[in-house]
Amino acid sequence: MSGILAGTPDFTPGEAAELWADAYGDVIQVDRLPSERDQNFRVSTAKGTRLLKIFNAREDPAFVGVQHQVWDRLGDHVDYCPRLIKTRSGSPTRTVASPRLGTEHMARATTWLDGTPLSEVGYRSASLLRDLGAKLGALDDALAGFDHPAAHRAFRWDLRRAPAVLAQHRDHLDGAGGKWADRVDELYAGRVVPRLERLRTSVIHNDANDHNILCGGGRDPWTRHQTVTGIVDWGDMVHSYTVGNVAVALAYVALDHDDPLGAASAVIHGYQPVYPLTEDELDVLWGMTLMRLAVSMVLAAVQQRERPDDAYLTVSQDSVQVVLPALLELPYGYATAVLRHAAEVEPVRGASAVADHLTSIAGTTQPVLGVPFTQDNTIKLDLGVDSLVSTGDPTVFDASEVGIPSAERKMAAAGASFAVGAFGEARLIYTHPVFATGPSPLSERRTIHLGVDLFAAVGSPVHAPLAGLVRAVGPAPEPQGYGHAITLRHETPGGVPFWTLYGHLSADSLATVAPGDRIEAGHPIGSIGPPEENGGWSPHLHFMVITDMLDHAHDFPGVGLASHLEVWTSLAIDPSPLLGIPASLAPQEPSAAETASRRARYLAPSLRLSYQEPVRLARGWMQWLWDDAGRRYLDAYNNVPHIGHAHPAVVAAAARQMAVLNTNTRYLHESIIRYAERLGATLPPPLDVCVFTNSASEANEVAVRMARAATGRRGMVVLEDAYHGHTTSLIDLSPYKHSGPGGEGPPDWVAVAAVPDTYRGPYHADDPAAAARYAADVKRACADLASDWGVAGFLAETFPSVAGQIVPPAGYLAAAYEHVRAAGGLVIADEVQTGYGRTGTLYAFEQQGVVPDIVVLGKPIGNGHPIGAVVTTREIADSFDTGMEFFSTFGGNTVSAAVGLAVLDVLERDGLVAHSQEVGGDLLQALGELPSRHPIVGDVRGRGLYLGVELVLDAGTLDPATDEASFVVNQLRQRGILIGTEGPFGNVLKIRPPLPFDHRNVALLVEHLDVVLGWLH
């Protein structure tokens, strides 16, 4: 052996067992553990599990002694580090000879720390990463002031030596790796080295990688392995920069994480309150993190050449090769600002001083467009998420159709000379990515406007409100799209630098300005350019105040990420006070917390919100939703916008009819007649007579009344866990309500039959008689009503939804309907959830080969517009005409009829029924592969885009995984995908997206569901 491998021990587990028995006593079993230069063995004894380490022959005994002193010191402070176990003779170590090499080695025993290595923990919550930070902080706090000469060693993993290590082994790296290492070295030299003399030093652990961090605690998915229970392997301990200890941890938590910078932030958020980092340490932290990754990369390349068969040596390198170049894309100042914010200090040093300075001089500066802005000459131009600057798909922004007419028309209409696009406004009109993707796997786009847009006439002169030096001038490169721009440098009276940026200026107007020129306050620096200098928008000035240019010239990002809002608004602060913009022109929206508080104050507490962290929605388009900050969500949950959120055909139909006439059914009007004809034509004969309502609850009420009028009986049969509406009588007919929390049970005129659940019910899918047996329970329910009330009808969802997205076995409805009709009752198909192609056929009952007596439809037929409908036979409709008039004020109004017709048009024109069948089949197949990878998935079922995934704790007992299902739904929400839970135990994942849901959406949903389910193992 040679080089770094010289002296490595080669004991077998059997030989290690003999050593243990001789030095420490009883031994039951010995297992080898992975290691680089020493040997580690797990030893099972009668007293519990222990760890035996046999050191490299070259190990310094004095250094081993330092470790023991450190543990003694930590023993009074922490319980998550090893404790020394002395030999039977009372010695801390034992010297042993290698049976084959003849070399002598020290051996040592320590306590065993229980836990799962962080490398094996799939779900890494922010809480876990904060706990890691807190426990590293406690180590550094406890070791502050401790020192020992043996810890001052020449060690290749010491960040003090990192630049030398990179230089020494640079030729081991390939082209890409070498370029990354060179970039890290450059950043380190510029950002870290100048501050090294001001950093604290101490003895540090120095190797908090994900194999040396043990996790445990908790039994539920959201608490299991979410506490740090051990920090092991002290072989890399060294006296070095104290901040290097946490930098090492940041380097490794960044690997294999959706949001590397967010993961690092969570560690710092936990570390800082325990052992606060200084300003200089915060400034070098990102550079040291990158350097650790670079050193890991270069030493892995060295070791791989020397030991090509040792997989342990390169265990993290695949991730390093992905993460390091991605992190190098982040401007150093931005990453530092994010970490500073996590440490709860000002993200950009001096940003508040700049803001205070601008406030203090407000009203004294020169007007940027030569004239002060007032409420008389200036209007606010709304470009926010919920604005109408674009209609239809909000991510498709056509400036020629929207930007120019929008600003100019509104200014002309108001008699205004200027329009203001506000600072901090969330917008959906930007398509280019910024240099960080944020926490969302759906690739968060930049949305937060970081400047002020000032719309004015082409050629309007632009003045410098403050004196300054020209930093850069000329065309700003994409993706910022500022056209020609100029950046000026300024300082506060206290010497804090800041910059102002002026974008979309005329190229000709900047011809005489050059970098280094001094511009006096009030001096014209250019003029507003034509539309081609404005990306096709209305002519305007984009104005920013920047506290850290992030090494940009004049292409500083003008739009930031909502996920790091506080950071972005520290890098670029609100220039409104400097510009003299009246506060009324930049109204602030209430925060999500304020909205939640007001909701709690003014709405009844029985109104529930979805998700542990509710979503504050602002916009929808087809199968997508956006929150108020512009974050996009894939909607696989909301079936009410049946043909897609904000479908233009529905919007146009409603707007057109609303502008002409909106009245009720007491007047003759063609629209309701045409709608009834079209709707009746979608159903099999003799179902062709309609009653329209404004909700499915009202429609179900009408259907029950019809059944009673037609039969002269009162009793009703319903299914277990059914839900049909919120009115008093429908609560009586909804076991989900009357037998649930707050319910009083069914009245005696309601009989409840078993839901035909072939997974959880008594008769399973492999039982050929399951349909008949479940239908027999409907017959039993009819018999229970016969003597007292008689059977008026059987009210059932064709495919029970609240019961858990149930698909009845073939033949069930035919048999059940036969029993009901034999008892003299009518059958009512509640198709509110399943109608209009949801299940791959126009109506779900078609799949059972039956024709109901009455069909009930609800909100999906209006794409979210409040519509309900009852369709029945002429005979039943006539029997309902008892002399008591039926009238629903809003049922069948002219606007609703127009909307209903538009939905039918789109459903037919776009082939959405066939689309539902095709895409739903693809989704069902993909979901059907999950049980083989995830034992918690008990059943996958559904038709079309009506699907359920039932989670169980045990495949034999079918114990419902209710909490786990909630965990999955909430984790998907965090990842930008919305689904829900259903079923009597809340353990069924409910997937019912708008019908435009496509094959790409299927792949995205299943990909992330697969990841989250993996965390439950």
Side-chain angles (χ1 to χ4, degrees), residues 627-683:
D627 66 17
D628 59 310
R631 185 184 177 192
R632 186 175 72 161
Y633 298 84
L634 176 61
D635 186 3
Y637 182 23
N638 291 286
N639 65 318
V640 174
H642 191 68
I643 59 172
H645 293 279
H647 197 289
V650 174
V651 173
R656 182 190 181 284
Q657 187 59 52
M658 182 74 77
V660 175
L661 176 68
N662 187 18
T663 188
N664 57 58
T665 55
R666 284 201 169 110
Y667 302 95
L668 281 174
H669 197 277
E670 273 292 316
S671 62
I672 190 173
I673 302 169
R674 288 198 302 269
Y675 184 34
E677 288 175 333
R678 288 278 301 281
L679 182 58
T682 67
L683 289 155

Side-chain angles (χ1 to χ4, degrees), residues 442 633-634 636 969 972-973 975-979 1004-1005 1008:
L442 297 183
Y633 298 84
L634 176 61
V969 166
L972 286 177
R973 174 255 183 268
R975 298 171 77 85
I977 298 173
L978 304 182
I979 65 171
L1004 192 65
L1005 168 60
H1008 293 291

Side-chain angles (χ1 to χ4, degrees), residues 423-439:
F423 174 86
E425 185 176 59
R427 301 175 177 177
L428 298 180
I429 57 182
Y430 303 105
T431 57
H432 292 288
V434 75
F435 43 69
T437 58

